[in-house]
Amino acid sequence: MLWIIGGNHLFYALGEVSGWGWAEWVSRQLDHVEWEGFHAFDLVFPLFMFISGVAIPFSLMNKVTKGVPKKTLMAKVLKRVVILFLFGLIYNNALSFDFANLRVASVLGQIGCAYLLATLIVLNTSSFKARLIWFFGILIGYAGLQYLIPVPGFGAGHFTPEGSINGWIDQLLLPGRLYGGTFDPEGLLCIVSAAAITLLGSMAGEVLRAKEQTPYGKTLILGLAGVGMILLGILLGQWYPIIKSLWTSTFNLLTGGISLLLLALFYLVIDVWGYHKWTFFFRVIGLNSITIYLAVRIVKFKATSDFFLGGIAALTGSFEPVVLFAGMIALEWLLLYFLYKKEIFLKV
């Protein structure tokens, strides 16, 4: 969330004005690849979905073991989907009432729908093995669709914005405007694929929740699984391209593997070794992630930073944009800190 709310712009500016090699490299990584390939910024969205899946065993499955009916849990999940879908429409400027040009697909909508699909699988399977089969079944089935189903005018196996099966289905079924013109990176098929990484997160959560494993055993399992998935994704990527906008299965393997490694690392550092004080700055952001995601769309924090810091920033010469973006992030964080202190959290 730090990168989404302005951390990327801060490092863009730093890379441009400083000439520091490491800052320039980081700034390049904090932007999406144009189409095929992978940058660190491409990890943000799938990692968020992975973490939402990690929470499933600690919330929903824990309630199942306590006797809460599955129908009750699914009703709550459906409510969450509806709220996220509506928030997504608002983010996409639905309040302008220009419905002909409204983008229906959204980041929040995809999170909700993919979470729903993953939850349905988790609540209706009885074992870790069954969920693992579902995970790889989605990846294999999705790859089959992209490779084997012909698109009118293009044929089968095209991984281009115009010729992909994703784009064809989005043009056929999604009303309103598509983000990419001929496709939408949060389109209908992408939701199905994204459900896989959410399901992967739920299995990682099961590993963390397992009482029979030691903390170091859990770390090892998550780490080895992560390395294996990364290598598999890179290997298969030689024939099946890694494309975020199409959520190809190789993209899921790569980002899922990285997500597992990061979870293993932070679990080890924070939960096992107990080094957690340094996380406070980030926890304040993460505890109200949807709030700040919507807020940066609605409130012009950059203009406020310009108002208060414009004079000071001008004195820094070429570093003026760095100061202004740092001020923007500080304002956003102070708002979230106020909500944190008042124990106000937007929970969906």
Side-chain angles (χ1 to χ4, degrees):
M1 290 308 303
L2 172 64
W3 305 123
I4 291 175
I5 66 175
N8 59 335
H9 295 299
L10 175 63
F11 277 91
Y12 290 156
L14 188 61
E16 287 181 2
V17 306
S18 68
W20 301 334
W22 67 269
E24 293 177 347
W25 181 85
V26 171
S27 68
R28 287 193 297 272
Q29 288 297 314
L30 291 176
D31 196 5
H32 294 300
V33 294
E34 186 172 343
W35 185 251
E36 183 178 340
F38 179 78
H39 283 171
F41 203 59
D42 297 317
L43 178 65
V44 173
F45 190 12
L47 179 57
F48 192 97
M49 303 194 69
F50 174 85
I51 293 300
S52 72
V54 172
I56 291 176
F58 295 94
S59 54
L60 296 183
M61 290 176 68
N62 187 48
K63 291 177 181 177
V64 169
T65 59
K66 293 180 179 179
V68 178
K70 291 182 181 180
K71 289 183 178 179
T72 302
L73 296 175
M74 285 310 305
K76 291 183 178 180
V77 172
L78 286 171
K79 179 182 176 182
R80 177 179 296 171
V81 173
V82 171
I83 293 173
L84 287 173
F85 178 74
L86 292 175
F87 280 164
L89 290 179
I90 292 171
Y91 186 93
N92 287 347
N93 209 26
L95 297 180
S96 68
F97 302 112
D98 183 12
F99 298 120
N101 295 306
L102 176 65
R103 181 183 173 224
V104 175
S106 68
V107 168
L108 294 179
Q110 178 167 309
I111 291 171
C113 292
Y115 182 84
L116 170 64
L117 293 175
T119 300
L120 282 170
I121 294 171
V122 171
L123 292 181
N124 291 283
T125 51
S126 57
S127 68
F128 185 93
K129 180 180 178 181
R131 290 184 273 278
L132 191 62
I133 291 172
W134 266 101
F135 170 71
F136 281 107
I138 293 173
L139 295 187
I140 294 169
Y142 190 74
L145 280 175
Q146 291 186 316
Y147 257 110
L148 303 176
I149 303 299
V151 174
F154 292 92
H158 281 263
F159 295 92
T160 62
E162 301 81 13
S164 67
I165 184 69
N166 300 61
W168 181 65
I169 289 178
D170 289 342
Q171 293 175 57
L172 193 65
L173 300 177
L174 271 181
R177 179 178 63 88
L178 300 180
Y179 181 86
T182 58
F183 74 98
D184 200 295
E186 282 79 53
L188 297 174
L189 279 185
C190 291
I191 289 172
V192 176
S193 179
I197 199 165
T198 311
L199 182 60
L200 177 67
S202 74
M203 291 187 286
E206 286 187 70
V207 172
L208 292 179
R209 192 167 175 256
K211 295 180 179 179
E212 64 273 13
Q213 288 290 340
T214 66
Y216 286 104
K218 295 174 185 179
T219 303
L220 184 62
I221 291 171
L222 294 172
L224 290 177
V227 171
M229 287 184 61
I230 291 171
L231 293 177
L232 183 60
I234 293 173
L235 176 64
L236 294 177
Q238 307 304 309
W239 302 277
Y240 180 19
I242 296 169
I243 304 175
K244 177 188 181 296
S245 293
L246 299 182
W247 280 78
T248 55
S249 296
T250 45
F251 175 75
N252 266 330
L253 287 169
L254 176 61
T255 57
I258 298 172
S259 298
L260 284 167
L261 282 182
L262 289 174
L263 181 63
L265 173 64
F266 289 116
Y267 170 70
L268 180 66
V269 172
I270 297 169
D271 291 88
V272 180
W273 293 344
Y275 298 119
H276 56 79
K277 291 182 179 180
W278 64 273
T279 66
F280 179 73
F281 175 84
F282 303 103
R283 283 191 287 121
V284 169
I285 300 173
L287 286 169
N288 257 316
S289 56
I290 295 177
T291 301
I292 196 60
Y293 180 75
L294 292 171
V296 296
R297 174 69 167 159
I298 299 167
V299 181
K300 302 300 182 183
F301 289 100
K302 177 61 164 51
T304 308
S305 178
D306 290 348
F307 178 82
F308 284 108
L309 299 177
I312 296 174
L315 297 176
T316 65
S318 61
F319 278 81
E320 179 179 0
V322 177
V323 174
L324 294 176
F325 281 123
M328 180 185 74
I329 295 171
L331 288 169
E332 293 164 352
W333 191 87
L334 287 172
L335 169 63
L336 292 173
Y337 180 69
F338 172 79
L339 297 176
Y340 172 83
K341 293 296 289 184
K342 296 294 183 181
E343 297 185 354
I344 300 173
F345 305 107
L346 177 59
K347 297 180 179 180
V348 179

